[in-house]
Amino acid sequence: MAAITLLLQVQAKAQTVNDTTRLFAEMKRLQSVYQAHELSFDIKYTYTSEHQPELVLDSLQGKMELSGKRYHYWMTNMETVVNERYNITLFQQEKMIYLTKPADFVTGDPVAQLRDMLERAGVKQCSVAEQGDLKTLRIYFQPGGACRQMEMLIDKSSGYITATRYIVKTALLMDPGVSATDAGYGEYAVIQTSFDHYKQIKIDSRTFSEDQFFRKEGNEFKTTPAYNEYKIFTGSPNL
């Protein structure tokens, strides 16, 4: 009996390793697809309660232009530009520009988001399945973390991601001081994202330039005339 138990444990571990290996192989393949061309695509986010899917907590729509590690991202009342030097986020209602150093990965790239989440949260179980024109990556994370489950749908013919689905703690989506339980939303929420209208385009390099927003004089950042109503805040040292 002990030998059979040990064999099952070894087989289960081997299967997990194989699934993880294939998962990262799929991620690498995705990364190459997104880096092969300059792209534009539309994004739509929907936030719902896990136990009350009809209860929409929020929804947002946006668009992204992506070129390697540079991208320009539009969302309701917010705009983000990332290049080799800066991560620039404009909050239009607040008239604020927030500057940080660019991260090592492209935040707007769904593949990079997944890679970062795996490193931080740890994987309990994962799988890669194919049906028809779609390939599905499923990941279950260790209990107690911010994210419990993640799915990614990939169009096999184009190689592009068409949708993602995350089950995360509702508290992450709530305003500070507001209890998800008291609001009746339940402990977990579902973030569903759709990606569509992919186009291969030629992007003007000025799209990613900080010069359209500000200039740096010594250690001081000054807005351009078009953004003279904005105040600049920095979140990283030695910018």
Side-chain angles (χ1 to χ4, degrees), residues 15-16 23 38 44 50-51 55 59 65-66 89 95 102 107 112 131 154 157 165 167 171 177 205 212 218 226 232:
Q15 183 62 45
T16 301
L23 176 69
E38 294 183 326
K44 182 177 180 180
E50 181 185 21
H51 297 299
L55 183 61
S59 63
E65 292 183 350
L66 178 67
T89 302
K95 301 296 183 183
T107 306
Q131 183 174 6
I154 303 166
S157 60
R165 183 175 182 268
I167 300 179
S205 60
Q212 58 187 308
I232 297 179

Side-chain angles (χ1 to χ4, degrees), residues 155-225:
D155 181 275
K156 291 165 61 176
S157 60
S158 67
Y160 295 144
I161 297 170
T162 62
T164 62
R165 183 175 182 268
Y166 296 85
I167 300 179
V168 302
K169 288 189 174 180
T170 309
L172 297 175
L173 308 178
M174 306 295 293
D175 292 329
V178 178
S179 169
T181 302
D182 293 343
Y185 296 143
E187 183 179 3
Y188 285 92
V190 179
I191 304 176
Q192 298 188 87
T193 311
S194 63
F195 304 86
D196 54 18
H197 300 122
Y198 281 94
K199 295 179 181 177
Q200 294 182 15
I201 60 174
K202 179 63 177 177
I203 303 176
D204 191 323
S205 60
R206 291 174 295 181
T207 298
F208 308 111
S209 174
E210 67 271 15
D211 295 342
Q212 58 187 308
F213 306 111
F214 64 86
R215 66 184 186 278
K216 187 176 182 181
E217 297 182 357
N219 293 323
E220 186 178 358
F221 294 95
K222 295 185 177 181
T223 58
T224 60

Side-chain angles (χ1 to χ4, degrees), residues 1-15:
M1 180 65 70
I4 295 176
T5 302
L6 178 60
L7 177 60
L8 291 175
Q9 290 174 343
V10 171
Q11 289 177 335
K13 183 177 181 180
Q15 183 62 45

Side-chain angles (χ1 to χ4, degrees), residues 61-219:
Q61 296 188 50
K63 182 178 180 179
M64 176 174 290
E65 292 183 350
L66 178 67
S67 177
K69 291 188 175 183
R70 302 178 302 170
Y71 70 89
H72 194 172
Y73 181 49
W74 297 267
M75 188 60 69
T76 307
N77 296 321
M78 188 182 76
E79 183 177 358
T80 298
V81 173
V82 172
N83 59 30
E84 296 83 355
R85 295 169 295 279
Y86 300 102
N87 185 327
I88 307 162
T89 302
L90 285 78
F91 298 94
Q92 295 167 351
Q93 286 186 331
E94 294 82 0
K95 301 296 183 183
M96 182 179 79
I97 298 176
Y98 186 63
L99 301 180
T100 61
K101 291 181 179 179
D104 292 334
F105 62 90
V106 182
T107 306
D109 183 344
V111 180
Q113 288 180 348
L114 175 58
R115 187 184 300 276
D116 179 62
M117 181 177 289
L118 293 180
E119 291 177 352
R120 289 184 288 108
V123 178
K124 179 181 178 182
Q125 182 182 355
C126 61
S127 65
V128 181
E130 298 185 26
Q131 183 174 6
D133 296 331
L134 290 177
K135 183 180 297 182
T136 304
L137 311 184
R138 288 189 178 91
I139 304 171
Y140 299 88
F141 296 95
Q142 297 293 343
C147 184
R148 194 182 73 198
Q149 181 181 338
M150 177 268 175
E151 293 181 3
M152 180 182 292
L153 300 182
I154 303 166
D155 181 275
K156 291 165 61 176
S157 60
S158 67
Y160 295 144
I161 297 170
T162 62
T164 62
R165 183 175 182 268
Y166 296 85
I167 300 179
V168 302
K169 288 189 174 180
T170 309
L172 297 175
L173 308 178
M174 306 295 293
D175 292 329
V178 178
S179 169
T181 302
D182 293 343
Y185 296 143
E187 183 179 3
Y188 285 92
V190 179
I191 304 176
Q192 298 188 87
T193 311
S194 63
F195 304 86
D196 54 18
H197 300 122
Y198 281 94
K199 295 179 181 177
Q200 294 182 15
I201 60 174
K202 179 63 177 177
I203 303 176
D204 191 323
S205 60
R206 291 174 295 181
T207 298
F208 308 111
S209 174
E210 67 271 15
D211 295 342
Q212 58 187 308
F213 306 111
F214 64 86
R215 66 184 186 278
K216 187 176 182 181
E217 297 182 357
N219 293 323

